[in-house]
Amino acid sequence: MYVGGGFGRRGESDYAAQAAAAAKATGRPVKLIWSRDEDIQHDFYRPVSQCKLTGGLDADGNVVALHARLSGPSILAYLMPQRMENGIDMVAFQGWTAEEFGYRSIPNLRLDHAVRNTVVPVGFWRGVNTNQNAIYMECFIDELAHAAGKDPLEFRRALLKDSPKHLAVLEAAAAKAGWGKPLPPGVFRGIAQNCAYGSYTAAVAEVSVSPQGTLKIHRMVAATDPGHVVNPNQVACQVEGSFVFGLGAVLFGAVTIDKGRAVQSNFDTYPVMRMADMPPVETVIAPSGGFWGGVGEPTIAVAGPAVLNAIFAATGKRIRSLPLGQQA
């Protein structure tokens, strides 16, 4: 089955073909179980990507132009080339489509993607391209706010004036987090918003960074509008679990390739979020009705940029590459 915790990996069938080949060779039923080392080193990895963003401000600090150029492998080109549209991978723009992009009030806007496929097999992962796209966009919006000398929340409020659902979720997260209220000494906030899989999401992170550069995430607030909610507790569980996934990717998630092989092989070389690393997550559910959105994937995307923007507030330094564990 494709679902049930596969998070994208079950969309491929190489392990099934291996089991069938073994069964055919032996003439007997075969149960195939890969070790964790085999699984990590024979995966379909999330695409490595980069993005160049350029923005323009007028004399009043308003955004008058924005250009974002993505570059990286195409999942569709590797797995489903028939879904490419005239050589364009529209999945690469997740979170930036006309229906999802909240900053539509920017008068001059261009978003494009340069496909750069490699020999490394790529595949879907939980949240897919919304995760990196939200980091690119929300961290850059923060940079523009800083360049304009404006509060990151107020700056976004102005940009989202034509996107009421985005704005409502942003306001809900900010209110729950107490944006603008004093924090303990050495603790700083960051904020981010996004839309994906039919749901509107926002997050606020509270972090501190020691003089030695050690990051501590003290608290996360997540707001989501999936349209309708049947089981609020299940929504909260999905949001909190998605933050474990999203923060783990930002802090630790890296697979490097050397001489054609994956270097990482188990939890000693590919760490994941542990209980001691994980901050408390407070979920705000703000359904507006009229549509049914997802809850398992959308909020992943805002966890990372909220933390990264809080790190800038704490240190004055922008993070240009991930994961954070590889930063000096």
Side-chain angles (χ1 to χ4, degrees), residues 7 46-47 49 70 75 91-96 123-139 192-197 201 242-243 245-247 249-250 296-306 308 322:
F7 302 131
R46 60 170 177 164
S49 69
L70 295 163
I75 297 175
V91 177
F93 294 96
Q94 282 183 310
W96 293 1
F124 299 103
W125 66 308
R126 187 180 179 189
V128 199
N129 294 304
T130 59
N131 298 331
Q132 61 263 27
N133 289 351
I135 288 175
Y136 294 142
M137 188 59 63
E138 287 304 293
C139 289
Q193 69 82 34
N194 194 58
C195 176
Y197 302 101
T201 62
S242 76
F243 270 35
F245 190 91
L247 293 177
V250 167
E297 292 184 288
T299 49
I300 300 173
V302 290
L308 296 176
L322 295 174

Side-chain angles (χ1 to χ4, degrees), residues 49-296:
S49 69
Q50 60 183 355
C51 185
K52 181 179 180 180
L53 297 107
T54 307
L57 301 171
D58 65 15
D60 296 321
N62 301 309
V63 182
V64 295
L66 175 65
H67 179 203
R69 184 169 178 79
L70 295 163
S71 177
S74 163
I75 297 175
L76 290 189
Y78 195 88
L79 297 177
M80 305 174 184
Q82 71 276 11
R83 288 183 55 187
M84 298 283 282
E85 300 179 18
N86 297 318
I88 299 173
D89 179 358
M90 294 305 299
V91 177
F93 294 96
Q94 282 183 310
W96 293 1
T97 66
E99 297 78 15
E100 298 167 326
F101 195 72
Y103 302 121
R104 60 193 66 179
S105 63
I106 298 174
N108 300 288
L109 177 67
R110 178 172 178 174
L111 309 171
D112 54 36
H113 179 220
V115 177
R116 296 293 183 267
N117 293 322
T118 72
V119 296
V120 178
V122 294
F124 299 103
W125 66 308
R126 187 180 179 189
V128 199
N129 294 304
T130 59
N131 298 331
Q132 61 263 27
N133 289 351
I135 288 175
Y136 294 142
M137 188 59 63
E138 287 304 293
C139 289
F140 188 64
I141 292 296
D142 236 58
E143 291 199 38
L144 290 174
H146 180 72
K150 297 183 179 182
D151 175 82
L153 173 60
E154 296 300 329
F155 192 74
R156 285 176 172 82
R157 280 174 173 159
L159 287 176
L160 295 173
K161 67 180 187 296
D162 297 329
S163 303
K165 291 185 182 294
H166 294 78
L167 181 57
V169 170
L170 182 74
E171 298 278 15
K176 178 68 173 179
W179 188 271
K181 295 181 179 179
L183 285 166
V187 179
F188 297 83
R189 290 190 182 101
I191 195 167
Q193 69 82 34
N194 194 58
C195 176
Y197 302 101
S199 292
Y200 302 83
T201 62
V204 175
E206 296 177 0
V207 314
S208 61
V209 180
S210 74
Q212 294 75 35
T214 301
L215 170 69
K216 180 174 178 58
I217 306 172
H218 297 267
R219 177 191 182 209
M220 299 289 301
V221 173
T224 181
D225 174 9
H228 297 276
V229 172
V230 175
N231 186 333
N233 288 336
Q234 179 64 15
V235 173
C237 288
Q238 288 285 347
V239 171
E240 292 161 14
S242 76
F243 270 35
V244 177
F245 190 91
L247 293 177
V250 167
L251 296 175
F252 309 117
V255 170
T256 51
I257 307 297
D258 183 37
K259 298 182 177 66
R261 290 182 60 89
V263 174
Q264 290 73 16
S265 61
N266 213 311
F267 290 147
D268 59 331
T269 50
Y270 188 86
V272 297
M273 288 292 286
R274 301 184 181 186
M275 292 180 70
D277 303 316
M278 189 63 200
V281 178
E282 301 174 27
T283 301
V284 181
I285 304 173
S288 60
F291 63 99
W292 291 87
V295 294

